[in-house]
Amino acid sequence: MAIRELKVCLLGDTGVGKSSIVCRFVQDHFDHNISPTIGASFLTKTVPCGHELHKFLIWDTAGQERFHSLAPMYYRGSAAAVIVYDITRLDSFQTLKKWVKELKEHGPEDIVVAIAGNKNDLSDIREVPMKEAKDFAESIAAIFIETSARNAVNVEELFQKISKQIPPLENPDLDSNESFKITRQPPPSNKRCC
Ligand SMILES: Nc1nc2c(ncn2[C@@H]2O[C@H](COP(=O)(O)OP(=O)(O)OP(=O)(O)O)[C@@H](O)[C@H]2O)c(=O)[nH]1
């Protein structure tokens, strides 16, 4: 089965839960005392999608303003961007809109954009109505989902939705798109590891 490497970056204000979403997706773990990201961190996870395997190369960027200028390094060449806001912080939704604008102006033309409203376990103190965020996502043809990294709600689904939006390759051997780098598993060998 072909393994398709998909670069994915996470963008969004500091403290919205980007690292927590990645940690939940890759390690199925939640850390209440997680530290703010410095620069960016990198993790991978491979998931089946139809007749392909999608290996997500995940760049979790730092949300603090002082790291903003590094972001192009991470969204450049990305097949998808997950822009995260915190449903309990209206200001984080405004920051999300700035990221959408920046991606539109400087990001890859065919990038899949997913909007994730995180911390939906705290909906009793919500500041961003779900309908407003959903309508905004629709207006820019983005995926929309509310997640809770803490309670493991919709995190797998977020990445599944991204997988589904990536068009399957008609002929993997002829594909030349840089952001959809293809690798193949080595042919079975006679060697045994143990
Ligand atoms: N209640 C709740 N808290 C969460 C959730 N996700 C993250 N948090 C908490 O929010 C805080 C910030 O989480 P991070 O994952 O570090 O946020 P970040 O967006 O990566 O922050 P930066 O690295 O500064 O960009 C931490 O205290 C997390 O434990 C969630 O789904 N629900």
Side-chain angles (χ1 to χ4, degrees), residues 14-15 18-19 33-40 60-64 66-67:
T14 182
K18 298 179 296 299
S19 304
N33 299 313
I34 193 164
S35 305
T37 305
I38 305 294
D60 168 26
T61 70
Q64 288 174 13
R66 64 194 168 114
F67 297 114

Side-chain angles (χ1 to χ4, degrees), residues 14-20 30-31 34 37 63 118-119 121 149-150:
T14 182
V16 294
K18 298 179 296 299
S19 304
S20 301
F30 180 76
D31 179 358
I34 193 164
T37 305
N118 191 39
K119 307 195 188 180
D121 52 289
R150 180 180 174 167

Side-chain angles (χ1 to χ4, degrees), residues 75-81 100-113 140-141 165 167 177 179-180:
Y75 62 67
R76 203 172 293 140
S78 281
V100 168
K101 190 166 178 280
E102 178 164 341
L103 275 184
K104 220 181 173 113
E105 286 168 7
H106 304 292
E109 212 176 300
D110 52 356
I111 194 167
V112 171
V113 176
I140 59 158
Q165 286 246 328
N177 187 333
S179 59
F180 296 164

